[in-house]
Amino acid sequence: MGNTSGEEARTEGDAMLRTPAGETRLNILEWLKDPATHFPPQRHGTTEGGVTADAVAAKLGVPRPVADTHLRLLTALGLLRSRKVRWRTYYWRDEVRIAEVARMFEKGW
């Protein structure tokens, strides 16, 4: 096992997030900080209960399966929470987990 310093780990982490896919996911997280500003009202009336993959796909200008991939990854990482209402899944930020991850980055992983 290599011995990676905190600075090297931070640089690697930054590089991972600077990829086009990483930038897209960062945009999604940023938009979900204030969903009412970035997304139209959802079927359940507001964006407070989360937004659908359809709404994210429309905002990104990509097909829904592409948005689904980004949202599933962010959910698997614990950065987003989701709930299913009938056949739609609504996504929103997990602020506690995001704060934990931000602290890990600050500490150099």
Side-chain angles (χ1 to χ4, degrees):
M1 284 196 264
N3 196 3
T4 305
S5 73
E7 184 63 33
E8 288 172 356
R10 219 170 301 127
T11 302
E12 290 171 14
D14 290 344
M16 284 190 319
L17 292 174
R18 301 284 177 243
T19 66
E23 288 290 330
T24 298
R25 292 177 190 126
L26 287 174
N27 285 338
I28 292 168
L29 288 171
E30 185 64 30
W31 296 334
L32 289 176
K33 225 187 245 188
D34 185 11
T37 299
H38 298 285
F39 297 98
Q42 302 295 289
R43 281 197 186 262
H44 61 273
T46 69
T47 55
E48 287 181 24
V51 299
T52 63
D54 288 329
V56 173
K59 178 83 172 167
L60 290 171
V62 299
R64 181 179 169 184
V66 173
D68 281 333
T69 300
H70 291 300
L71 293 167
R72 277 196 302 269
L73 177 67
L74 290 168
T75 302
L77 292 171
L79 301 175
L80 295 183
R81 310 269 323 261
S82 67
R83 73 181 165 95
K84 196 141 178 105
V85 177
R86 295 188 185 151
W87 60 90
R88 296 185 191 282
T89 303
Y90 293 86
Y91 297 89
W92 67 96
R93 289 168 50 108
D94 184 334
E95 298 298 341
V96 172
R97 178 67 178 144
I98 290 170
E100 290 172 354
V101 171
R103 281 191 300 277
M104 288 186 335
F105 272 97
E106 288 170 2
K107 291 179 181 180
W109 301 65

